[in-house]
Amino acid sequence: MADPGLQSAAHPGLRRLGILPLRVVPGRGNLAIWTFAIICALAQLAVAASLGVTIYRIPLAAALILSLVQAAAIVLALFAPVWATLLALIAGNALSGLAQAGPDRPWPIAASTIVAYTLVWIGVSLRARWWLPVAGWSFSVLSAVMVAVDAPTRADDGLVIADLIVFAAVTLGAVLVGIGIRNWSLLRAQLRAERAATAAELARREAVQDKARIARELHDVVAHGMSAIQVRAASARYRMPDLPADAAAEFDEVAATARSAMKEMRVILGLLRDEEGEADHAPQPGLDDLPALLARANDLAPVTETGSWQLTADEQSNPLLGLTAYRVVQEGLSNVARHAPGAATEIAWTETPAERGIRIRNAPPTRAIAPRADGGGHGLRGMRERVEAMGGTVAAAVTGDGGYVLQVRIPREERE
């Protein structure tokens, strides 16, 4: 019955009392509990009313009303334990006070009242903290003793004492069972929460360790290699005095590109090594950085640019769009340099009311292609993942003249 996970939805006053709310829309488990409580309440009403009238000589109206209050307390214990406690005590004391003692019947507490108290205390113990059912039980036992002592007509003292002992023992057992089940449910819920928190922390630590391992690999393999390229390219004009001017300029461009790549590599390494995500991140490139990128690429092969994007104010402030466009052009030009050295390249910027496009087309290579160190394909896959994250598409194909074309489409953001 107890559902500790629902405590946060309870009224603050109920939380202070330690009362657990029942689901508004019960599932199968709660539906079975409701059904059982209602059946018990109806049975209690029928039995208590009939026994009160026939055996204990209680007036019919009083027996019906008090039995109905007892039955209502059984149901109220599921969602209003305080009211259930009060009603159970009122009805139980009233029935005991109106019942006539006799040697052939349990007195001062009837068997039906013992059953009613048992069901109510179990429900109250499951829904509230321990002090409420314990206080209710203590008051019910004390009231029963007072009824037995102050009764105008006395029954056999042995039978009265036996009835009180049975009543106190059975109802106390109900209180202890309810408290035990409630504490067990709370401990299970706390254990599940601790396990979930532990699993989340382990997953986070594993992710941090994976990021650290990737950062080490990038630093040891890529960063060291780029550093060596930059140093050798920058020192080429000094190591080879007879180097032609255009070749020296080419080496200087390679050194500048290597420095730029190393700068971005340091940003990536900082992101990977930042466990809490609070490191200061260098600004990412955007559309404003494209002219410098095209100028560097134009030193290797002719690059022409047609069209432009007319960005709105929101799009100009969106760093993701500019970063994606920059990475698309950067990867496209890198692919041209690797797979079609010396080929002329055309970059066309297109836009429609529904989408924006980038078309990168290169002619066949004019120089020999250098052998590739690996299988490649990672840049195009990364580009596709980046564009698809924005809802766009990437298409690439070989042209009829032996060139290559790359088409990227990015949908415009919908405005309400």
Side-chain angles (χ1 to χ4, degrees):
M1 291 172 63
D3 193 352
L6 295 177
Q7 279 188 333
S8 60
H11 188 275
L14 296 180
R15 286 201 299 270
R16 286 193 294 270
L17 293 174
I19 297 172
L20 302 177
L22 201 68
R23 294 181 188 272
V24 177
V25 182
R28 290 185 177 181
N30 283 331
L31 183 60
I33 294 174
W34 277 98
T35 303
F36 177 76
I38 292 174
I39 291 175
C40 290
L42 294 176
Q44 171 66 23
L45 173 62
V47 174
S50 59
L51 289 180
V53 173
T54 58
I55 296 180
Y56 292 96
R57 302 294 189 270
I58 300 174
L60 178 60
L64 287 175
I65 293 175
L66 295 175
S67 299
L68 181 61
V69 172
Q70 271 189 339
I74 295 174
V75 179
L76 284 174
L78 297 178
F79 60 93
V82 175
W83 283 105
T85 301
L86 294 176
L87 293 181
L89 292 174
I90 292 172
N93 293 334
L95 288 172
S96 299
L98 295 175
Q100 296 183 10
D104 58 343
R105 64 190 75 115
W107 188 87
I109 304 297
S112 59
T113 302
I114 295 177
V115 173
Y117 270 125
T118 300
L119 295 174
V120 170
W121 295 151
I122 290 177
V124 171
S125 299
L126 292 174
R127 311 309 298 178
R129 291 181 180 176
W130 62 271
W131 58 265
L132 181 61
V134 169
W137 173 84
S138 302
F139 190 81
S140 67
V141 173
L142 180 62
S143 300
V145 173
M146 293 177 61
V147 169
V149 171
D150 297 337
T153 58
R154 299 191 57 81
D156 184 83
D157 290 342
L159 295 178
V160 172
I161 293 174
D163 182 67
L164 291 175
I165 291 175
V166 171
F167 166 65
V170 172
T171 52
L172 179 60
V175 171
L176 295 178
V177 169
I179 293 175
I181 295 176
R182 182 179 189 272
N183 290 337
W184 177 69
S185 300
L186 292 175
L187 288 175
R188 285 192 60 190
Q190 185 177 3
L191 180 60
R192 286 195 297 268
E194 293 294 336
R195 286 178 176 174
T198 302
E201 179 62 21
L202 289 176
R204 191 188 72 85
R205 296 306 306 174
E206 290 178 357
V208 169
Q209 291 174 1
D210 289 341
K211 289 168 62 177
R213 178 180 56 81
I214 294 172
R216 288 194 301 269
E217 295 295 331
L218 285 175
H219 180 271
D220 294 341
V221 178
V222 181
H224 284 172
M226 292 299 298
S227 178
I229 293 173
Q230 189 269 333
V231 171
R232 293 182 63 84
S235 62
R237 63 168 61 244
Y238 306 104
R239 292 184 289 105
M240 295 176 284
D242 298 332
L243 193 66
D246 56 348
E250 185 81 13
F251 277 114
D252 291 340
E253 180 63 26
V254 171
T257 303
R259 283 194 298 270
S260 177
M262 289 174 62
K263 180 180 178 181
E264 293 192 16
M265 181 65 66
R266 283 192 293 270
V267 174
I268 295 174
L269 292 177
L271 290 172
L272 291 174
R273 286 171 173 162
D274 179 21
E275 294 188 10
E276 303 298 331
E278 298 177 353
D280 294 333
H281 303 152
Q284 296 292 320
L287 293 175
D288 294 338
D289 301 292
L290 281 173
L293 177 65
L294 297 178
R296 291 196 300 267
N298 199 48
D299 292 338
L300 302 177
V303 178
T304 58
E305 187 179 11
T306 60
S308 64
W309 283 356
Q310 301 299 322
L311 301 181
T312 63
D314 291 337
E315 290 172 335
Q316 289 176 355
S317 62
N318 181 10
L320 184 58
L321 178 61
L323 176 61
T324 301
Y326 182 90
R327 294 303 186 195
V328 167
V329 175
Q330 183 185 47
E331 181 61 28
L333 295 177
S334 298
N335 287 336
V336 172
R338 286 196 300 267
H339 307 297
T345 305
E346 178 186 359
I347 301 176
W349 303 83
T350 61
E351 59 180 356
T352 66
E355 65 181 17
R356 301 186 184 278
I358 306 174
R359 183 175 180 270
I360 303 175
R361 186 184 187 282
N362 63 270
T366 60
R367 298 197 301 265
I369 301 175
R372 299 170 62 180
D374 56 12
H378 300 289
L380 185 59
R381 182 173 62 183
M383 180 199 305
R384 181 173 284 108
E385 292 173 352
R386 186 186 297 274
V387 173
E388 288 178 352
M390 301 184 64
T393 59
V394 177
V398 178
T399 60
D401 58 357
Y404 200 78
V405 61
L406 175 69
Q407 179 68 54
V408 173
R409 292 184 173 87
I410 301 175
R412 291 176 180 266
E413 295 184 359
E414 296 182 0
R415 301 295 177 193
E416 296 181 357

